[in-house]
Amino acid sequence: METLISSLQPQITFPIVHASDAAAVRRAGQKLADSLGFSEVQAGRLAIVITEAATNILKHAGEGTLYVMRAQSGAAMAGVDVLAVDSGPGIADLETSLRDGVSSAGTAGTGLGALQRQSDEFDVWSARGQGAAFFMRIWAGTPPPEPCGVEIGALCVPLAGEDESGDGWAVACGAHGATLLGVDGLGHGPEAHKAAAGAIDALARRPDGTPSATLEAAHEALRITRGAALSVARIDYAANELRFAGIGNVGGVVVDGATRRAMVSHNGIVGANMRKVQEFTVDCPPGALVILHSDGIQTQWDLNAYPGLFARAPAIVAGILMRDFIRRRDDAMVLVGRRRGDHAR
């Protein structure tokens, strides 16, 4: 049975520029935790993580962004993900900084250690002069086994002034493979969001279909909407390969640490004038990253410019790409999936 994870789950984006922002994020995190059935203890852990992450941004970078969302996992248990991203000076010695009592800002030095200690899952990336990104996940109970063979990290940011994003993403995971979908509804606002939701629903109805079949199903479903650009990537675990089909300008890239392979999409609009659907196949071994992003993200990114980033959690990769390559004149979406396996670099 396939499990679906998508951008239709809540994601909260908070710029952190003032001490009062930490309280606002903490309240939003508490509300999300309550809706997911967190105990008082687990909700308290989440509050500590949010507070320390926001405080760390203010003390060491001056400003940054916190993302709080339902855990992007196929596990049956509810959880909350917290992603903190900044453009500060970076952390010269991560290992030392994560020890309680160590601080470069003249404080007690318990913040970074608390992030790791209070989280069920934790990862961090930083480089001198390139800022930092912290990923924390807290489960509502005992951490469950992960049924999905792909580790996911994704962000959607609507155009300034809009409440809903016209971009979206979804991942369907099963025993034999996983399908990643990235969609960009034409324009922005509620009507674009409706188109994106329609494409996600098409995947939910047939989660193990081929990329071309998913595109055809979405084409029919989106006829009553303004249409969308759409890319679909299907990972076959046994064959260690990825099949890709795309219409419009949702980019698709496979990065395996040594090479970067950009996928080819055809012109058209899903739901309107989709003339040609063609699948392409590339290698996708364990550890490889599959990255889909809308045209709200610039295409000139290169993970090699960020030492060690390839090996970090997909959420951190998504956060850095969003931080450095968002265009800010449209909705923006980036979806990063990693084949589980040995990906140490």
Side-chain angles (χ1 to χ4, degrees), residues 57-70:
I57 285 175
L58 292 170
K59 286 180 179 177
H60 299 282
E63 61 181 9
T65 305
L66 273 185
Y67 302 93
V68 181
M69 65 210 89
R70 181 164 183 167

Side-chain angles (χ1 to χ4, degrees), residues 67-160:
Y67 302 93
V68 181
M69 65 210 89
R70 181 164 183 167
Q72 295 173 345
S73 164
M77 180 179 292
V80 174
D81 290 347
V82 179
L83 178 66
V85 184
D86 69 63
S87 299
I91 303 171
D93 187 342
L94 267 176
E95 184 177 354
T96 299
S97 296
L98 288 169
R99 298 175 190 162
D100 287 346
V102 175
S103 173
S104 62
T107 64
T110 57
L112 297 188
L115 292 180
Q116 186 172 33
R117 190 171 56 253
Q118 296 294 336
S119 302
D120 294 312
E121 298 178 30
F122 175 85
D123 200 9
V124 57
W125 175 85
S126 184
R128 188 182 297 274
Q130 292 184 302
F134 292 84
F135 169 72
M136 290 73 62
R137 175 171 290 167
I138 298 172
W139 293 107
T142 302
E146 173 57 66
C148 189
V150 176
E151 184 183 2
I152 298 300
L155 294 172
C156 266
V157 176
L159 177 68

Side-chain angles (χ1 to χ4, degrees), residues 137-200:
R137 175 171 290 167
I138 298 172
W139 293 107
T142 302
E146 173 57 66
C148 189
V150 176
E151 184 183 2
I152 298 300
L155 294 172
C156 266
V157 176
L159 177 68
E162 296 286 352
D163 294 326
E164 294 181 308
S165 175
D167 292 352
W169 61 269
V171 178
C173 311
H176 305 293
T179 300
L180 285 69
L181 176 151
V183 58
D184 181 351
L186 264 62
H188 50 82
E191 292 302 314
H193 177 78
K194 186 182 300 183
I200 293 170

